[in-house]
Amino acid sequence: MSKPQKSNVKVRRFSKAFVWAHGVNAISFLALYITALPMYTEFFDWLYPVLGGPEGARLLHRIFAVTFVLPTFIWVIFDWKGFKLWMKELVTWKKRDLEFFTEFVKELFGFNFKHVRQTFFNAGEKINSIIQIFTALLIIGSGIPMWFSEYFPRAVVQWGYLLHNVGFGLAIAVVVGHVYLSVIHKNSKPGYSGVITGEVPAWWAQEHYPDWYDEEVAKGNFPEIDKDGNPKKPTSPDKKKKKGA
């Protein structure tokens, strides 16, 4: 007997501002990585003709370095409420957040696991965000003396190159894990649509972020759903008992 098909009912998880900010961040990071490769090692010199030579690669790298800092401003300006919620969640840790990691390891490697109740961002997403903030600050902070080397002591510029490489190395590791979980892993990939359209399957949202989902149901924003994601039918009032029954 085949499993019942999950409902395609969706709910909004992210604002349009977040979707745009996430897209700009992803494209900028990928472009920075590609334009940096031939400047980092001769193995990728074949990219120079595509990028317009060394000068073209350097120019493109600097252009995308500017766009790399834009996502935060996009999110803050057009969705301050969502940005504020994100920052609040990053500094809010409870016992259940620590319990999340035990079950997450089981889920990651395909063992039986249970969902630990989470709010809008789960503990894994909080850690991912914190590391991304750290690497972004490291990349941007070290990139400034590299770009404007004439205004900084030689030692600061040299440290800038080292820290820039460290920052990008850490960032790549985080991005690989992030892409795997959002696009490939069977339990989390249904939520990938959230960064494309802002909406995710209702059943998936209720399953992974039950506390947040229940709050939205209480506010009347989301429908109550059954285990397959179908909206529950309103309970009809009890029929009056027939006389003489």
Side-chain angles (χ1 to χ4, degrees):
M1 188 174 179
S2 60
K3 291 183 179 179
Q5 187 70 28
K6 291 288 189 180
S7 170
N8 60 1
V9 173
K10 293 190 175 184
V11 294
R12 179 159 290 280
R13 176 159 169 76
F14 296 116
S15 66
K16 291 182 179 179
F18 174 88
V19 171
W20 276 97
H22 186 276
V24 171
N25 179 264
I27 293 171
S28 298
F29 183 83
L30 179 61
L32 284 170
Y33 182 69
I34 292 173
T35 54
L37 285 176
M39 293 187 282
Y40 183 74
T41 172
E42 294 180 356
F43 182 79
F44 290 100
D45 278 357
W46 56 271
L47 279 173
Y48 273 138
V50 179
L51 301 173
E55 289 301 319
R58 189 174 293 106
L59 175 61
L60 288 172
H61 195 76
R62 291 179 175 180
I63 290 173
F64 285 107
V66 174
T67 62
F68 184 66
V69 304
L70 294 181
T72 301
F73 295 100
I74 294 173
W75 199 7
V76 168
I77 294 171
F78 297 104
D79 182 22
W80 169 246
K81 184 178 178 181
F83 181 82
K84 189 167 62 172
L85 172 64
W86 178 56
M87 296 302 293
K88 179 182 177 182
E89 292 263 313
L90 293 189
V91 296
T92 304
W93 289 83
K94 297 183 178 180
K95 182 180 178 181
R96 64 183 178 187
D97 291 311
L98 300 179
E99 293 173 348
F100 168 87
F101 292 107
T102 301
E103 298 303 320
F104 172 72
V105 172
K106 296 177 185 177
E107 179 183 9
L108 184 64
F109 292 102
F111 297 109
N112 291 329
F113 70 98
K114 65 178 181 180
H115 286 290
V116 178
R117 295 187 69 86
Q118 297 286 282
T119 52
F120 190 85
F121 291 104
N122 63 42
E125 291 168 331
K126 293 179 186 179
I127 290 293
N128 177 72
S129 294
I130 291 171
I131 296 176
Q132 286 201 32
I133 291 172
F134 172 74
T135 56
L137 291 175
L138 192 59
I139 291 169
I140 295 169
S142 60
I144 292 174
M146 291 169 60
W147 189 342
F148 304 101
S149 57
E150 64 273 22
Y151 300 109
F152 291 88
R154 182 177 178 82
V156 173
V157 176
Q158 290 177 331
W159 273 103
Y161 278 98
L162 173 62
L163 295 177
H164 208 63
N165 291 336
V166 171
F168 253 111
L170 289 173
I172 287 295
V174 173
V175 167
V176 169
H178 186 59
V179 171
Y180 169 73
L181 288 172
S182 60
V183 180
I184 300 173
H185 197 277
K186 65 178 182 178
N187 291 330
S188 52
K189 70 179 181 181
Y192 176 66
S193 60
V195 297
I196 303 300
T197 65
E199 296 184 332
V200 297
W203 64 265
W204 183 86
Q206 198 280 332
E207 196 174 75
H208 284 73
Y209 311 93
D211 281 1
W212 166 64
Y213 195 93
D214 290 348
E215 287 177 8
E216 294 301 316
V217 169
K219 294 175 184 176
N221 296 330
F222 292 172
E224 285 192 75
I225 56 176
D226 60 23
K227 62 181 181 179
D228 296 317
N230 297 302
K232 292 181 178 179
K233 294 179 180 179
T235 305
S236 58
D238 295 331
K239 293 180 178 180
K240 293 181 179 180
K241 292 183 178 180
K242 293 181 179 181
K243 291 181 179 181

